[in-house]
Structures are given as C-alpha cells and as structure tokens.
Amino acid sequence: LYLDNRCIFFSKPMFDSGTLGTKGNTQVVLPSLTESYGSSQDPPEESIPLCTLHNFPHKIEHTIQWARDRFEGLFKNAPSEVNSYLTESGYLQKLSEDTMNEVKTLELLKSYLADDKPLNFEDCIHWARRLFETEFHN
C-alpha cells in the first residue's frame, strides 16, 4: 500500500501482479482513470501463497503452515515414497512416466536409502542436527 500511496501522491501509473498457487492476477492503476490499488479489496485467501511461505512469512499462520509443510515433507511424503519403492513392484516404471518429478524423487530415494540413512538412534540425532543447521543457520 505504500507504493500505491506514493503513486497516487505523484500521479504516476502503477502495475501490480501476483500469484496464488496456479492462479495469477494483475491490476493496472492509472491516475484519475482507475481505482487505486488500496481502494480495492481482495477476496479472502483460501490458502497462503507459496511465495509468502518461502520468502516473507510475516504472520504466525505463515510460520505454522511452513512448519506443517516441512514436517509433512520430511515425515509423511518422503517415507511414503520410500515405502512405495520398497513394496510396489512397478514403482520405477510408474515413476519414469512422471517426468516432472522423476529426478527429484530418485534423489529423495537415494538420500533416504543410502546417503543419509540412519542406522541407529545416534545417527538419527546427527541427521536432525544437520537438518536444523541447514534450515536455520544464519
């Protein structure tokens, strides 16, 4: 809203754009021709935009959602992929058809089954400590 107020004050046009998941929006603000950005109100968001979660989580709800997403990725989605790989006979064939996620999923499997596989409780502690440092150091 600060930029909108400055554009109104100096009679300058403004172009605003944003995304929410797969949806995009734009708004052109022309002095004395269109309403200003601040005078329109967006409908309530059903979910938190990913760019907000990753780049500028400024509300407690954002940090809670970020933590839930991280937890689900680490302790639900990834183990589910590993279990599918270990138990489903046609898993790799099915994965090869998913060209968008194939490399990412194979890297995840390698990480969980080879590179970072904890063999005992102490290894789990080391894994958690490295993850903490990766996520929160500086």
Side-chain angles (χ1 to χ4, degrees):
L1 293 176
Y2 173 79
L3 185 59
D4 180 54
N5 288 333
R6 298 286 78 196
C7 289
I8 292 169
F9 182 80
F10 291 107
S11 295
K12 298 289 182 185
M14 182 177 90
F15 179 76
D16 179 66
S17 64
T19 60
L20 177 58
T22 58
K23 299 176 184 176
N25 67 294
T26 60
Q27 181 178 359
V28 176
V29 179
L30 301 171
S32 304
L33 293 176
T34 63
E35 70 178 353
S36 69
Y37 176 79
S39 55
S40 64
Q41 193 168 20
D42 294 336
E45 296 175 354
E46 294 177 17
S47 65
I48 300 167
L50 288 177
C51 56
T52 300
L53 288 179
H54 293 288
N55 299 317
F56 192 64
H58 59 280
K59 294 182 179 176
I60 190 68
E61 294 87 10
H62 299 160
T63 55
I64 292 169
Q65 186 61 48
W66 177 86
R68 283 182 177 163
D69 291 349
R70 269 317 261 145
F71 186 88
E72 186 173 295
L74 288 168
F75 300 108
K76 180 183 175 286
N77 298 344
S80 177
E81 285 293 329
V82 170
N83 287 337
S84 294
Y85 169 74
L86 294 173
T87 59
E88 296 175 19
S89 60
Y91 178 82
L92 290 177
Q93 176 62 35
K94 186 175 84 173
L95 180 61
S96 69
E97 297 167 4
D98 183 9
T99 56
M100 295 293 290
N101 296 315
E102 181 180 18
V103 172
K104 184 178 179 181
T105 302
L106 289 172
E107 288 172 348
L108 178 135
L109 291 172
K110 182 177 180 281
S111 171
Y112 273 68
L113 293 173
D115 299 341
D116 295 328
K117 181 181 179 182
L119 301 175
N120 53 43
F121 185 71
E122 188 173 316
D123 289 349
C124 291
I125 299 299
H126 288 292
W127 175 84
R129 177 63 186 184
R130 283 192 312 271
L131 179 63
F132 181 85
E133 288 176 7
T134 300
E135 293 287 335
F136 302 111
H137 181 67
N138 294 331

